[in-house]
Amino acid sequence: MFGNLREDFPTLSGENAPVYLDNACMTLRPNSVIEAIRSYYEESPGCGGRSVHRYATTVSRKMVNCRNNLGKLFNANESNEIIFTKNATHSLNQVAKGLNWEKGDVILTTDREHNSNLVPWLQLEEEKGVDHRVVKSNEDNTFSMENFENACAEAGKNLKMVSLSHVGNLDGVATPVKEAAKIAKDHGALVCIDGAQSTPHMKVDVQDLGIDFMAFSIHKMMGPSGMGGLWGKMDLLENMRSIQSGGSTVETSHYDSMVWSKPPAKFEGGLGNYAGILGTNAAIDYISKINLDDVHEHEVKLNKVMTSVLKDVNGLSIIGPEDAAKRGGICSILLDNIDAHDIAILLDEAAGVMVRSGMHCVHSWFNNKGLDRGSLRASAYLYNTEDEVRLFAETLVEAVEALG
Ligand SMILES: Cc1ncc(COP(=O)(O)O)c(C=O)c1O
């Protein structure tokens, strides 16, 4: 479906190329991203947005370009609604800690959130006395609109924020964000989306979704590690406190006062990760040329292959709905008697297959179910092939039969 695209990824060429199935953690990077990072250090190692010499001006221009491209990708109203952050965690913390809360304000998340969309709200509960509530999912881990509507109604006028993962990293299950956002809005709440697992795999239009904030991870979108972003509606950004203040965050300062910068500068304190931003620009350029509907279709096709090999094997079970089409590119597997880390090491050593093992930062879900071994998670992306996922699934079956 994607032609010779694998050739763009240096780690996928050569005899020792791994079967890389840890894409929900971090994707691989194409040559153009690596080249953009190299070009920063070798050709224009300047300080964007500040100095005015040639190096800095080159970087400043590329930063503007990058913000524009991200704005276009997500259909932001204006590119200044895009803030560069370290990662999605940083972005979610900015929202949680930058808004004003009162004791008793209700914040809703679900029972299958990544720690990054749980812990900042738990921290607010500890420190500010907000009332964080968890919406229970259906038995198969899909979003329960009924439970959500009830939770909104119960919170009533105290409902202030609904913060949901767009797609779960635990199982690949998507949340019907547009419908949920409409209900939350009818109750006067703000809506924040953790887009870490949706933005690399599907078209995301923040205006169409009717949301207020969205956090995303650039390292899951073929960009550099240590880069993420936050999109927010301009009027909300203008009124939100920055969790980091210093250089760039103010237009001017006096010994006893300062004038805050406008967004996004207000939130981008200190010297930036310019190599990361240039790499991000190349990644967004790369992803923008790909039809993300095709990416989703490809991942589901691969997931169907993994699912068909694994679904009736004794000693293992797949988390989430039976239908692979409802789990995107993620196949997350509970093993009855074997440690997931042991299998992950074995898969790499014996078959060159790289997957993730453990609780994937969704400890709350595993703890609630008393599943202390975590799971083995294979997550596919656009460069993976049917042969690769079959190798993973068949090797896993052999291992379970030998060790289980
Ligand atoms: C759903 C989800 N949210 C948040 C995060 C955190 O992302 P980051 O590492 O960019 O902070 C992840 C990372 O795996 C994730 O999968």
Side-chain angles (χ1 to χ4, degrees), residues 107-156:
I107 293 161
L108 292 182
T109 63
T110 73
D111 56 1
R112 29 188 294 283
E113 299 297 332
H114 189 284
N115 280 333
S116 301
N117 190 34
L118 169 65
V119 178
W121 308 115
L122 289 179
Q123 191 179 359
L124 273 189
E125 190 160 51
E126 233 176 55
E127 294 173 1
K128 304 270 182 208
V130 302
D131 182 357
H132 167 249
R133 298 184 189 172
V134 171
V135 179
K136 201 170 172 317
S137 302
N138 294 319
E139 275 306 303
D140 67 354
N141 261 10
T142 52
F143 185 77
S144 166
M145 200 56 85
E146 192 186 336
N147 289 351
F148 178 69
E149 280 189 291
N150 289 341
C152 289
E154 269 167 37

Side-chain angles (χ1 to χ4, degrees), residues 12-53:
L12 296 180
S13 59
E15 279 174 17
N16 294 324
V19 171
Y20 186 78
L21 290 171
D22 194 15
N23 295 289
C25 174
M26 181 179 267
T27 54
L28 303 176
R29 285 79 174 181
N31 284 313
S32 57
V33 169
I34 298 164
E35 167 55 23
I37 295 168
R38 184 208 59 77
S39 80
Y40 172 73
Y41 289 112
E42 288 190 6
E43 292 164 21
S44 60
C47 183
R50 300 184 187 195
S51 309
V52 290
H53 51 70

Side-chain angles (χ1 to χ4, degrees), residues 25 43 68 75 89 98 107 116 142 160 174 216 229 241 269 283 286 336-337 340 350 360-361 366 372 387 402:
C25 174
E43 292 164 21
N68 284 340
N75 193 27
T89 305
I107 293 161
S116 301
T142 52
K160 293 291 152 45
F216 52 97
R241 272 188 314 279
Y286 193 90
D336 286 353
N337 303 311
H360 324 295
C361 297
F366 286 94
D372 55 5
D387 285 347

Side-chain angles (χ1 to χ4, degrees), residues 8 30-33 36 62 65-73 218 221-224 277-292 382:
D8 297 340
N31 284 313
S32 57
V33 169
K62 290 187 175 170
N65 196 247
C66 185
R67 227 185 277 283
N68 284 340
N69 288 340
L70 278 163
K72 269 189 219 142
L73 184 66
I218 294 295
M221 302 175 76
M222 298 181 278
I277 294 172
L278 266 56
T280 299
N281 202 18
I284 299 309
D285 192 43
Y286 193 90
I287 214 169
S288 299
K289 290 186 181 131
I290 289 164
N291 182 342
L292 288 170
L382 73 183

Side-chain angles (χ1 to χ4, degrees), residues 128-391:
K128 304 270 182 208
V130 302
D131 182 357
H132 167 249
R133 298 184 189 172
V134 171
V135 179
K136 201 170 172 317
S137 302
N138 294 319
E139 275 306 303
D140 67 354
N141 261 10
T142 52
F143 185 77
S144 166
M145 200 56 85
E146 192 186 336
N147 289 351
F148 178 69
E149 280 189 291
N150 289 341
C152 289
E154 269 167 37
K157 64 178 177 16
N158 289 334
L159 184 64
K160 293 291 152 45
M161 168 64 85
V162 167
S163 190
L164 306 169
S165 56
H166 198 177
V167 171
N169 68 314
L170 170 69
D171 49 18
V173 172
T175 305
V177 163
K178 194 169 169 177
E179 292 85 334
K182 177 149 189 341
I183 295 166
K185 291 273 146 199
D186 287 346
H187 285 80
L190 291 172
V191 180
C192 175
I193 292 305
D194 172 358
Q197 296 293 344
S198 59
T199 49
H201 307 278
M202 59 172 76
K203 278 188 202 144
V204 177
D205 179 331
V206 290
Q207 299 197 64
D208 181 56
L209 288 175
I211 58 178
D212 298 295
F213 297 102
M214 181 176 76
F216 52 97
S217 295
I218 294 295
H219 60 255
K220 298 186 203 297
M221 302 175 76
M222 298 181 278
S225 55
M227 277 302 302
L230 171 67
W231 166 82
K233 277 189 187 153
M234 184 48 82
D235 57 329
L236 295 170
L237 294 179
E238 277 169 348
N239 291 308
M240 186 163 76
R241 272 188 314 279
S242 175
I243 55 173
Q244 176 153 303
S245 47
S248 276
T249 66
V250 289
E251 277 172 15
T252 190
S253 63
H254 307 276
Y255 291 132
D256 56 359
S257 63
M258 73 249 177
V259 178
W260 287 104
S261 301
K262 298 204 170 359
K266 176 177 157 187
F267 301 102
E268 295 176 353
L271 208 138
N273 178 1
Y274 303 115
I277 294 172
L278 266 56
T280 299
N281 202 18
I284 299 309
D285 192 43
Y286 193 90
I287 214 169
S288 299
K289 290 186 181 131
I290 289 164
N291 182 342
L292 288 170
D293 290 338
D294 289 346
V295 172
H296 182 72
E297 197 186 312
H298 177 68
E299 290 167 353
V300 167
K301 192 179 86 189
L302 299 184
N303 205 349
K304 284 186 174 161
V305 172
M306 294 190 266
T307 302
S308 68
V309 176
L310 297 171
K311 72 179 169 41
D312 296 322
V313 176
N314 282 338
L316 61 81
S317 52
I318 297 172
I319 300 175
E322 264 181 56
D323 182 2
K326 293 188 180 155
R327 288 183 275 108
I330 294 186
C331 194
S332 198
I333 299 138
L334 294 170
L335 302 165
D336 286 353
N337 303 311
I338 317 169
D339 192 280
H341 294 308
D342 290 345
I343 294 280
I345 294 168
L346 187 146
L347 282 168
D348 191 10
E349 286 182 352
V353 176
M354 295 178 177
V355 292
R356 176 81 178 263
S357 48
M359 298 200 185
H360 324 295
C361 297
V362 197
H363 296 81
S364 52
W365 185 88
F366 286 94
N367 287 336
N368 181 256
K369 297 207 162 4
L371 297 167
D372 55 5
R373 282 181 208 277
S375 79
L376 190 78
R377 184 186 69 189
S379 49
Y381 203 30
L382 73 183
Y383 34 67
N384 291 119
T385 66
E386 220 169 299
D387 285 347
E388 287 187 319
V389 293
R390 197 174 289 284
L391 176 72

